[in-house]
Amino acid sequence: MKYLDEYRDAATLKKILAALEKIVTRPWVIMEVCGGQTHAIVRSGIDQVLPDGIELVHGPGCPVCVTPIQTIDMALAIASRPEVIFCSFGDMLRVPGSEKDLFAVKSEGGDVRMVYSPLEAVELARKNPDREVVFFAIGFETTAPGNALAILQAAREGLRNFSVLASHVLVPPALKTLLASPENRVNGYLAAGHVCTVMGLKEYYDIAREFKVPIVAAGLEPVDLLEGIYMVVKQLEEGTNEVANQYSRSVRRAGNEHAQKAMFQVFEIDDQQWRGIGMLPKSGLAINKEYAAFDAQRKFPVGNHHAEESEKCVSGLVLQGLLKPFECEAFGRECVPERPLGATMVSSEGACAAYFKYHRMTEAKQ
Amino acid sequence: MSGKITNIACPSPMLQHKTVQLGHGSGGRLSAELVEKLFLPYFGNEILDKLDDQAILQPPPGKLAFTTDSFVVDPIFFPGGNIGDLAVNGTVNDICMSGAKPYYISVSFIIEEGFSFEDLHRILSAMKQAADIAGVSVVTGDTKVVNKGCCDGIFINTSGIGIVGEGINISAANLQVGDHIILSGSVGDHGMAIMTSRQNLSFKTEIRSDTAALNGMVAKILQDSNHVHAMRDPTRGGVAATLNEWAKSSQVGIEIAEDTLPVNVPVRSACELLGIDPLYVANEGKLVAAVAAEAAPEVIKSMRQTETGKNAVLIGKVVDDHPGIVAIKTGLGTNRILDMPIGEQLPRIC
């Protein structure tokens, strides 16, 4: 299949691997920022065939994983209200709040619906004028433009029964936090190709310069990732710290300006809580004053929840690349996908889920 | 008798109504009429025609294989079939995966009041056709009509009886190290046909369900080889669930080669878009078999001689390493686990 097979081709991968082996002279630690990249790496086995000394650590780019537990509890409370049709992407339904998940709310009678696009939720609002339709808008710069578009559409149509529970996070502030940490041992970064498709590369130049790290925007297929790793290692070996673009079939330097425009028409940059990591200044998007009528947090004041995180869950360290999933004592024991202690074990982009799904055999041998 | 009913003063409600009424499941005159005017013309045979509360059967010699399954598919009509042929084929396939020849099935309907007779006719017609193709007789049945909102249009339960021939011993616990794993054709067609025909997807595909009776292929395989150790139609949970159940039951490892798995392009495209692995998607007309290595070429040849098995391929083998675990060999030569599905497959966020 075009645009797929050539980026999963084993012969191409082996060729890049051979080239990589030729240029490596010393150990390097590389972080792939996006959880989708983590899954592709672990699924294809790239992490197992890299030359000795090249270590991949997994970054915070899992939108489900970093959504604060307080926001999930808020979602559960809103979804339980009888007048509400609560719409969410499928991935979010199984993520545990303090006590339960959205599937549990659904089984208790809540009208929880899985949608594939925020515009579907707008359509539901149009068709159900006597109900309140709430869309759970989470994610990075990748999902924010679509969610903004849904609000703009609802505003155009004057749909007063549509609102959005937004919890949007931004990549560059998180990257800066990780780089500034004294515990950081990452030498180079693979930036998330889909985030860069929206935002372009401009946000990364200062970071690369300030922290003296190479940053390569990479796609999400195995060939993209291995090529991205090669590009990072080449810079590290040559001692350069540039921003480079491996994913040129999708990423333009300026990004998608239409998407950015829609995003900043509806959202403004705000401080944001990251589950497992903490409050990061100016690292999220909140609905701005002009569109406040579409903000579910204002529409449904459900109060401040005291949210309980599992004491055993170390997903914050996993999300910062400081711990590998199988270094957690609960991994595969108390914490499994059907009974997760933290979101990293649930999401299709979570590092713990990737290791549990594909790599238990490898660990057993280690 | 049906002539008499249409001639009485109160005209036949079935002619009067375009939809099923609560009375059609009451056990009274309307129920009788439903049976005589609708079900018997489709399914009639000398056992069913007696309209006794039970079917009296004279089984051929051999061990009985008995199975039951309920069908609640949404949507009821989908590309490639409907709930009717799915219900017949599903039970036929469950019987024949033991190596049994299916003979008789029961059909039980739970219908929501207001369900259209036109749709019911389409369903019955598909069931009749599927039963004829599989060579099974509907010998007993039941209909209940429930209040609006108490079921989603129509639910169907089918049970079936087959006979296992002498010397046939096929079971999930019979896999042996060295066995080859054969798949009868492409994976994921039924599940993705259902998913992509649901209302709320914004893209259209040409994916059709693969619903089909597999007893013809099973008979051909067993006629040509007596080295088949396990057979299964990988329905819910897909090929991944079947292989995991086998690995656990037989306490062996299974190794699948990633590049041998047949997936049709539209199914692959839809799965890629939604972030779903086709190995976890339901099939309704496919068969996985574990056979002795030396018999694998002849079993593949036998399968390819049938319509439902014409794309049969070898996908892997049984190994003594990692008992209870199914592994996929990647293009890079590494192994990754093919785990048991956890719950519903959920599309990813981005």
Side-chain angles (χ1 to χ4, degrees), chain A residues 116-145:
Chain A
Y116 299 93
S117 150
L119 292 172
E120 268 175 57
V122 177
E123 197 182 328
L124 276 171
R126 200 182 299 132
K127 286 183 179 163
N128 297 278
D130 53 337
R131 304 281 301 277
E132 281 291 337
V133 175
V134 182
F135 178 71
F136 198 5
I138 73 148
F140 284 86
E141 294 92 328
T142 38
T143 55

Side-chain angles (χ1 to χ4, degrees), chain B residues 1-288:
Chain B
M1 189 181 168
S2 60
K4 277 182 194 168
I5 288 177
T6 51
N7 288 335
I8 58 174
C10 175
S12 159
M14 265 183 68
L15 297 180
Q16 208 180 46
H17 295 121
K18 287 187 170 165
T19 59
V20 176
Q21 308 294 303
L22 274 176
H24 287 113
S26 66
R29 200 179 290 172
L30 288 185
S31 297
E33 195 180 55
L34 193 68
V35 171
E36 286 179 21
K37 285 192 179 168
L38 204 60
F39 295 145
L40 286 185
Y42 280 109
F43 299 136
N45 57 58
E46 59 180 30
I47 301 171
L48 187 68
D49 289 351
K50 288 181 183 162
L51 295 182
D52 286 327
D53 279 353
Q54 68 296 112
I56 309 293
L57 310 169
Q58 181 61 57
K63 286 182 189 165
L64 277 182
F66 176 41
T67 186
T68 187
D69 207 343
S70 296
F71 296 83
V72 296
V73 63
D74 169 32
I76 293 165
F77 299 97
F78 47 82
N82 67 45
I83 191 170
D85 45 359
L86 192 70
V88 172
N89 291 335
T91 283
V92 164
N93 293 345
D94 282 352
I95 296 170
C96 70
M97 288 307 133
S98 64
K101 176 175 161 49
Y103 283 91
Y104 307 114
I105 61 170
S106 71
V107 176
S108 187
F109 296 97
I110 295 172
I111 306 175
E112 185 182 19
E113 68 172 320
F115 193 74
S116 90
F117 274 114
E118 194 188 331
D119 284 349
L120 192 53
H121 272 289
R122 282 173 71 192
I123 291 166
L124 293 171
S125 168
M127 294 182 90
K128 155 82 177 150
Q129 204 179 353
D132 285 349
I133 291 171
V136 294
S137 309
V138 175
V139 290
T140 186
D142 183 49
T143 305
K144 297 282 188 296
V145 180
V146 296
N147 286 311
K148 193 99 189 155
C150 289
C151 98
D152 192 5
I154 185 168
F155 295 159
I156 303 177
N157 171 275
T158 51
S159 296
I161 290 175
I163 301 293
V164 189
E166 273 303 307
I168 294 175
N169 176 18
I170 289 171
S171 157
N174 285 358
L175 272 77
Q176 285 162 28
V177 172
D179 279 0
H180 281 191
I181 308 285
I182 299 165
L183 177 65
S184 68
S186 62
V187 293
D189 299 82
H190 175 74
M192 292 318 287
I194 296 297
M195 193 174 264
T196 56
S197 60
R198 285 187 180 152
Q199 294 299 314
N200 60 347
L201 270 189
S202 55
F203 59 89
K204 295 274 172 281
T205 68
E206 297 161 352
I207 303 170
R208 293 173 66 77
S209 166
D210 58 349
T211 177
L214 299 171
N215 55 326
M217 175 167 39
V218 169
K220 173 77 181 144
I221 294 170
L222 296 179
Q223 180 193 317
D224 297 348
S225 172
N226 54 3
H227 296 288
V228 179
H229 297 150
M231 276 194 294
R232 185 69 66 84
D233 56 330
T235 53
R236 277 174 306 171
V239 170
T242 294
L243 296 180
N244 272 284
E245 281 165 26
W246 284 359
K248 284 192 179 61
S249 289
S250 297
Q251 271 309 298
V252 291
I254 295 179
E255 203 172 275
I256 300 297
E258 189 170 42
D259 52 1
T260 58
L261 295 164
V263 188
N264 287 329
V265 170
V267 171
R268 205 175 151 203
S269 307
C271 283
E272 289 290 344
L273 270 174
L274 297 172
I276 285 172
D277 187 338
L279 282 171
Y280 290 103
V281 179
N283 310 277
E284 291 290 345
K286 293 294 165 358
L287 178 160
V288 197

Side-chain angles (χ1 to χ4, degrees), chain A residues 156-268:
Chain A
R156 249 195 310 274
E157 293 183 32
L159 294 173
R160 292 183 179 189
N161 63 329
F162 176 79
S163 60
V164 161
L165 178 59
S167 181
H168 277 299
V169 278
L170 301 170
V171 170
L175 213 53
K176 275 190 206 164
T177 307
L178 297 180
L179 278 159
S181 160
E183 289 168 305
N184 180 50
R185 56 191 193 98
V186 177
N187 306 112
Y189 288 83
L190 294 179
H194 290 164
V195 170
C196 296
T197 302
V198 174
M199 298 305 293
L201 300 172
K202 55 188 180 297
E203 301 174 294
Y204 297 97
Y205 293 110
D206 286 346
I207 301 177
R209 215 175 2 252
E210 184 184 342
F211 294 97
K212 297 189 173 51
V213 286
I215 301 176
V216 175
L220 281 89
E221 294 298 329
V223 167
D224 291 324
L225 290 157
L226 200 53
E227 202 169 73
I229 292 168
Y230 175 86
M231 289 167 75
V232 171
V233 171
K234 193 157 189 291
Q235 285 203 49
L236 290 169
E237 291 284 349
E238 290 171 356
T240 56
N241 309 307
E242 307 289 333
V243 175
N245 185 8
Q246 180 281 328
Y247 201 29
S248 58
R249 68 183 184 280
S250 179
V251 175
R252 289 181 306 122
R253 200 180 154 96
N256 181 339
E257 285 154 323
H258 294 289
Q260 293 166 25
K261 192 179 158 206
M263 206 166 125
F264 289 109
Q265 200 175 332
V266 173
F267 296 113
E268 62 192 14

Side-chain angles (χ1 to χ4, degrees), chain A residues 5 8 43 120 358 360, chain B residues 200 268 272 336-337 339:
Chain A
D5 292 334
R8 295 181 185 176
R43 187 182 157 90
E120 268 175 57
Y358 303 127
R360 271 169 295 150
Chain B
N200 60 347
R268 205 175 151 203
E272 289 290 344
R336 72 164 186 267
I337 291 178
D339 207 358

Side-chain angles (χ1 to χ4, degrees), chain A residues 2-311:
Chain A
K2 212 176 168 197
Y3 298 120
L4 264 191
D5 292 334
E6 60 267 52
Y7 296 105
R8 295 181 185 176
D9 180 53
T12 312
L13 286 170
K14 284 173 185 165
K15 235 183 258 174
I16 305 171
L17 208 53
L20 182 61
E21 266 156 12
K22 275 188 197 156
I23 61 167
V24 180
T25 61
R26 44 177 284 207
W28 299 109
V29 179
I30 300 168
M31 173 182 277
E32 80 281 355
V33 169
C34 161
Q37 292 174 323
T38 306
H39 270 252
I41 285 167
V42 175
R43 187 182 157 90
S44 62
I46 286 176
D47 55 332
Q48 294 177 61
V49 295
L50 286 175
D52 287 345
I54 295 200
E55 183 189 347
L56 293 179
V57 295
H58 317 307
C62 164
V64 169
C65 307
V66 299
T67 300
I69 193 163
Q70 293 84 349
T71 309
I72 295 169
D73 284 347
M74 208 182 294
L76 297 170
I78 294 173
S80 303
R81 295 170 74 114
E83 77 276 24
V84 166
I85 299 175
F86 194 85
C87 303
S88 167
F89 290 134
D91 217 10
M92 207 64 210
L93 298 178
R94 236 185 344 236
V95 178
S98 299
E99 284 167 9
K100 52 189 171 187
D101 59 18
L102 282 165
F103 271 130
V105 170
K106 186 167 186 274
S107 70
E108 289 163 12
D111 192 348
V112 178
R113 305 196 192 179
M114 183 173 80
V115 296
Y116 299 93
S117 150
L119 292 172
E120 268 175 57
V122 177
E123 197 182 328
L124 276 171
R126 200 182 299 132
K127 286 183 179 163
N128 297 278
D130 53 337
R131 304 281 301 277
E132 281 291 337
V133 175
V134 182
F135 178 71
F136 198 5
I138 73 148
F140 284 86
E141 294 92 328
T142 38
T143 55
N147 297 338
L149 211 60
I151 290 178
L152 291 171
Q153 180 71 29
R156 249 195 310 274
E157 293 183 32
L159 294 173
R160 292 183 179 189
N161 63 329
F162 176 79
S163 60
V164 161
L165 178 59
S167 181
H168 277 299
V169 278
L170 301 170
V171 170
L175 213 53
K176 275 190 206 164
T177 307
L178 297 180
L179 278 159
S181 160
E183 289 168 305
N184 180 50
R185 56 191 193 98
V186 177
N187 306 112
Y189 288 83
L190 294 179
H194 290 164
V195 170
C196 296
T197 302
V198 174
M199 298 305 293
L201 300 172
K202 55 188 180 297
E203 301 174 294
Y204 297 97
Y205 293 110
D206 286 346
I207 301 177
R209 215 175 2 252
E210 184 184 342
F211 294 97
K212 297 189 173 51
V213 286
I215 301 176
V216 175
L220 281 89
E221 294 298 329
V223 167
D224 291 324
L225 290 157
L226 200 53
E227 202 169 73
I229 292 168
Y230 175 86
M231 289 167 75
V232 171
V233 171
K234 193 157 189 291
Q235 285 203 49
L236 290 169
E237 291 284 349
E238 290 171 356
T240 56
N241 309 307
E242 307 289 333
V243 175
N245 185 8
Q246 180 281 328
Y247 201 29
S248 58
R249 68 183 184 280
S250 179
V251 175
R252 289 181 306 122
R253 200 180 154 96
N256 181 339
E257 285 154 323
H258 294 289
Q260 293 166 25
K261 192 179 158 206
M263 206 166 125
F264 289 109
Q265 200 175 332
V266 173
F267 296 113
E268 62 192 14
I269 292 178
D270 199 1
D271 298 345
Q272 171 77 26
Q273 183 80 25
W274 293 56
R275 187 172 190 173
I277 298 176
M279 179 66 82
L280 302 183
K282 294 182 180 172
S283 70
L285 295 172
I287 297 173
N288 65 25
K289 276 195 187 132
E290 195 182 337
Y291 293 93
F294 297 95
D295 190 341
Q297 290 199 46
R298 294 174 198 240
K299 204 171 199 175
F300 304 96
V302 286
N304 260 338
H305 283 262
H306 172 68
E308 289 285 342
E309 289 277 11
S310 158
E311 281 174 16

